Amino acid sequence: GAGVSQSPSNKVTEKGKDVELRCDPISGHTALYWYRQSLGQGLEFLIYFQGNSAPDKSGLPSDRFSAERTGGSVSTLTIQRTQQEDSAVYLCASSHPGRAYEQYFGPGTRLTVT
Amino acid sequence: RKEVEQDPGPFNVPEGATVAFNCTYSNSASQSFFWYRQDCRKEPKLLMSVYSSGNEDGRFTAQLNRASQYISLLIRDSKLSDSATYLCVVNKASGTYKYIFGTGTRLKVLA
């Protein structure tokens, strides 16, 4: 079946611009995660959605970052007024109810802020 | 101290060798442990879970040492295709969905 998809695969933007990153999880997966991976760094948790519950936004690094999940499916991560330190690969993952540990990752969006 | 620590490597080993990686975690409340594999410029994929009794999947063996708070991954008869970065993953606390990923140990299997 279809895996997690993300778009765009690459995004180059100028400092100060806003960007939107999209994630389509696997159908039926109620849990959705956003992570950030900088060069040589581990995955940094950003935000978690589970069904209709309030999202866990505790990992968002600043108020420039926000995320939505519409209809329990597609999610959008928005970064406002991008900074150079936002450059990273942004990974989305989804998991099946009851198997939260088995996260299926999308291919990521490589964001470069110039 | 980092919540999850791994030796970044790289571990360069010849084909057919046995190689082992350790990963230490700081939170004694963690209950779930996993190894993920990440190929260069690809997304991470679950390799195996780590159970208290240890578990084996073909050439791969994972073990947990709660007393010393570390998990290990042993790869026997290394193949070229095993070359990747191996990520240690620990849940933040019992029952939580929040997982902490280590920075990974890079393995390169040489012909």
Side-chain angles (χ1 to χ4, degrees):
Chain A
V4 177
S5 61
Q6 291 186 246
S7 61
S9 54
N10 279 284
K11 176 72 177 178
V12 180
T13 190
E14 292 179 354
K15 178 181 171 181
K17 301 274 188 178
D18 297 353
V19 294
E20 277 192 0
L21 313 180
R22 178 188 167 107
C23 171
D24 279 273
I26 293 172
S27 177
H29 282 194
T30 56
L32 187 148
Y33 298 78
W34 281 99
Y35 294 91
R36 177 168 72 173
Q37 188 172 32
S38 304
L39 191 64
Q41 301 297 312
L43 272 70
E44 177 188 3
F45 167 81
L46 297 177
I47 188 168
Y48 167 78
F49 295 92
Q50 171 60 277
N52 296 321
S53 302
D56 179 346
K57 304 180 182 180
S58 61
L60 296 178
S62 78
D63 58 8
R64 296 186 296 105
F65 288 71
S66 62
E68 288 185 342
R69 189 176 185 193
T70 52
S73 181
V74 171
S75 178
T76 303
L77 177 69
T78 301
I79 309 173
Q80 295 179 309
R81 304 182 302 283
T82 52
Q83 303 294 312
Q84 287 188 327
E85 60 263 28
D86 300 335
S87 297
V89 176
Y90 288 81
L91 290 159
C92 172
S94 69
S95 64
H96 191 275
R99 290 175 66 88
Y101 61 86
E102 189 166 4
Q103 297 180 36
Y104 292 82
F105 283 83
T109 294
R110 185 173 297 275
L111 175 67
T112 303
V113 181
T114 61
Chain B
R1 183 185 172 187
K2 286 184 180 178
E3 291 181 274
V4 176
E5 289 200 73
Q6 296 184 252
D7 181 340
F11 284 58
N12 296 321
V13 302
E15 266 190 295
T18 295
V19 61
F21 314 130
N22 278 350
C23 163
T24 59
Y25 61 95
S26 61
N27 189 348
S28 59
S30 295
Q31 294 292 321
S32 303
F33 311 91
F34 310 92
W35 285 101
Y36 272 68
R37 170 189 168 134
Q38 186 172 25
D39 292 294
C40 189
R41 289 184 167 256
K42 296 284 189 180
E43 68 275 19
K45 292 184 180 178
L46 178 65
L47 178 66
M48 61 197 303
S49 303
V50 186
Y51 303 125
S52 296
S53 55
N55 54 311
E56 189 173 312
D57 183 1
R59 298 181 294 108
F60 297 81
T61 301
Q63 292 193 312
L64 166 66
N65 184 317
R66 284 192 190 276
S68 301
Q69 293 184 203
Y70 75 85
I71 66 173
S72 64
L73 178 67
L74 181 80
I75 306 175
R76 289 181 297 278
D77 189 23
S78 300
K79 312 290 185 193
L80 294 175
S81 57
D82 295 334
S83 298
T85 296
Y86 291 83
L87 307 176
C88 169
V89 183
V90 175
N91 79 327
K92 204 166 174 66
S94 178
T96 185
Y97 50 79
K98 210 175 266 188
Y99 294 89
I100 308 299
F101 283 73
T103 53
T105 296
R106 193 169 156 219
L107 171 66
K108 194 166 182 182
V109 181
L110 308 171

